[in-house]
């Protein structure tokens, strides 16, 4: 699995067609591993800074709009590098050992 993490951007994802499942991991949360299922009627999902995230479209596909907010330290080169669980032991440990909270919005 590959994730992204932003240190200078907050994502606001809204499904406009189909549905999509987001995996979110944030080491600062009391329940650090969450799976959020969105569809058109869900509203926007805010993904805070320092949150590992990835998403998967449903079988029928999906279209998602992301209205992000970036601070002055944002750079594309640093913010959009994929992170593999094979390279991040703490991330891999959460995925292997923590049961996710599943949220349907």
């Amino acid at each position: 699995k590959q994730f992204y993490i932003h240190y200078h951007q907050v994502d606001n994802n809204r499904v406009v067609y189909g549905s999509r499942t987001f995996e979110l991991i944030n080491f600062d949360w009391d329940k650090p591993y969450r799976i959020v299922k969105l569809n058109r009627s869900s509203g926007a999902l805010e993904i805070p800074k320092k949150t590992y995230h990835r998403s998967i479209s449903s079988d029928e596909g999906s279209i998602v709009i992301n209205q992000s907010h970036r601070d002055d330290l944002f750079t594309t080169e640093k913010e959009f590098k994929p992170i593999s669980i094979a390279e991040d032991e703490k991330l891999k440990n959460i995925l292997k050992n923590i049961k996710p909270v599943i949220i349907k919005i």
Side-chain angles (χ1 to χ4, degrees):
K1 288 184 179 183
Q2 288 189 152
F3 286 81
Y4 288 92
I5 186 168
H6 304 306
Y7 295 97
H8 302 285
Q9 174 174 303
V10 174
D11 289 338
N12 293 286
N13 290 279
R14 183 173 176 106
V15 173
V16 294
Y17 170 80
S19 62
R20 189 171 293 209
T21 301
F22 289 80
E23 280 186 84
L24 308 173
I25 297 174
N26 187 313
F27 302 136
D28 295 332
W29 293 343
D30 60 334
K31 303 215 183 250
Y33 184 20
R34 300 176 187 181
I35 295 175
V36 181
K37 298 182 180 193
L38 296 181
N39 60 40
R40 186 179 169 108
S41 64
S42 299
L45 171 65
E46 181 179 273
I47 301 175
K49 296 175 186 176
K50 299 191 291 180
T51 301
Y52 291 89
H53 59 283
R54 67 190 298 266
S55 66
I56 302 167
S57 286
S58 61
D59 290 340
E60 75 268 9
S62 65
I63 297 172
V64 174
I65 295 173
N66 180 13
Q67 294 179 305
S68 61
H69 297 281
R70 298 172 176 171
D71 67 28
D72 293 338
L73 299 175
F74 175 88
T75 63
T76 302
E77 297 79 22
K78 293 180 182 178
E79 296 287 323
F80 290 102
K81 290 183 179 178
I83 299 166
S84 169
I85 62 169
E87 301 166 358
D88 189 313
E89 281 298 317
K90 194 171 180 182
L91 182 60
K92 182 162 74 173
N93 183 51
I94 294 273
L95 288 167
K96 286 177 69 175
N97 298 308
I98 303 293
K99 183 177 179 180
V101 174
I102 298 174
I103 303 165
K104 292 182 181 182
I105 300 176

